[in-house]
Amino acid sequence: MLEFTQENGEFAILFLHGWGSDGSIFKGQIDFLKHKYFTLSPDLAGFGKTQIPKEPLSILDYANQIYDYLTAQNVKKVIVVGHSFGGRIAIVLGAKYPKIIKGIVLVDSAGLIQKSLKTRLKILRYKWCKCLVKLRLVDKNKLKKFQSGDYKACDGVMRAIFVKAVNTSLAKYARRVKASTLLIWGEHDQETKLAMGKKFNKLIKNSRLVTLPCGHFPFLECPTLFNGILNAYLEG
């Protein structure tokens, strides 16, 4: 790996992973870029080898932690590549710390609350079922069919963090992002659908949307295409 210096306007590349993953998920991208760029791919708090936070963190808390992490690494300029949950953090970093953010790559990012009629009806059914559970008219296990896989896979503080994140809209932060932003989206993503990518493209002024023929993990599903697009962005 190259050693990081601030000479000649060099910058670091920071990878922020999604929910349920850890920094190692970007190994293919780091191996592809490590001979040209200084790369960082930390485990976010509560994931990988890090400890579970004592209290539920907000996206703003995560962004502040990452800023402190970059400061400790003596990074003055950085391009942030954020996938899904990591994209949430990248957006807040871009809005709150514009001086350090040279560019942003949002990969199937989460961060907007877009509720279709189908989703709203599902929420209503969930609330009704929850009321029936409280009245002991329905078994509590019935609630599980309304819960996402990520929600079921965590509990305690991490579940509280998850709930806080999915109920937070980052639209106001996206509007404040000034850095050059590349949006890379899987056309068949069922987690953060392409409609969200198009919405971010409108909210972030200096942004461009590129789609790939894959799902929620384009850097794993279409690595050659993804790496080529990312490399072109970094060089451009």
Side-chain angles (χ1 to χ4, degrees):
M1 180 185 294
L2 297 178
E3 292 186 4
F4 182 68
T5 68
Q6 272 318 126
E7 296 177 1
N8 302 318
E10 292 184 16
F11 55 87
I13 302 171
L14 172 70
F15 290 93
L16 298 178
H17 63 79
W19 188 270
S21 302
D22 58 52
S24 66
I25 198 169
F26 291 110
K27 183 180 185 303
Q29 287 63 54
I30 291 171
D31 287 344
F32 178 73
L33 298 171
K34 66 183 180 181
H35 299 297
K36 294 175 62 179
Y37 299 100
F38 178 81
T39 60
L40 298 164
S41 187
D43 294 343
L44 297 171
F47 301 95
K49 297 179 181 179
T50 66
Q51 294 183 345
I52 295 176
K54 294 181 179 179
E55 297 180 356
L57 301 179
S58 67
I59 297 301
L60 187 61
D61 293 328
Y62 274 101
N64 290 338
Q65 285 187 354
I66 291 299
Y67 178 77
D68 292 340
Y69 168 78
L70 292 172
T71 300
Q73 296 286 332
N74 194 36
V75 173
K76 301 297 190 299
K77 287 289 182 181
V78 65
I79 288 180
V80 186
V81 182
H83 172 242
S84 197
F85 181 75
R88 294 178 187 270
I89 301 169
I91 291 166
V92 176
L93 284 169
K96 190 175 180 185
Y97 301 107
K99 291 184 179 180
I100 194 175
I101 305 300
K102 179 180 176 63
I104 298 174
V105 181
L106 297 180
V107 186
D108 294 72
S109 178
L112 297 177
I113 300 175
Q114 292 185 309
K115 296 179 180 177
S116 63
L117 177 60
K118 181 180 179 180
T119 301
R120 291 197 296 268
L121 288 174
K122 184 177 180 180
I123 291 172
L124 286 174
R125 290 197 297 269
Y126 172 74
K127 289 181 177 179
W128 175 243
C129 188
K130 198 172 182 180
C131 288
L132 294 177
V133 169
K134 288 182 178 179
L135 293 171
R136 297 184 180 181
L137 297 175
V138 172
D139 188 277
K140 64 179 181 180
N141 288 324
K142 292 286 185 180
L143 293 173
K144 291 183 179 179
K145 69 178 182 178
F146 297 101
Q147 299 166 352
S148 70
D150 285 335
Y151 181 87
K152 293 176 184 177
C154 60
D155 55 21
V157 172
M158 294 309 294
R159 180 170 288 185
I161 291 173
F162 178 80
V163 171
K164 183 179 290 191
V166 299
N167 286 296
T168 300
S169 173
L170 300 178
K172 66 177 182 181
Y173 289 98
R175 292 189 185 97
R176 288 166 49 191
V177 172
K178 296 180 180 179
S180 169
T181 303
L182 175 63
L183 308 170
I184 304 179
W185 233 267
E187 295 172 356
H188 311 300
D189 189 347
Q190 295 301 309
E191 301 297 324
T192 52
K193 295 186 178 182
L194 181 56
M196 190 175 294
K198 293 178 179 178
K199 180 66 174 176
F200 273 128
N201 195 27
K202 292 181 179 179
L203 290 171
I204 302 173
K205 294 180 180 179
N206 188 15
S207 66
R208 182 166 60 96
L209 175 64
V210 176
T211 61
L212 295 180
C214 55
H216 190 57
F217 294 86
F219 54 96
L220 297 179
E221 299 171 50
C222 304
T224 302
L225 279 173
F226 181 89
N227 291 347
I229 292 169
L230 178 59
N231 187 62
Y233 173 78
L234 296 174
E235 292 184 348

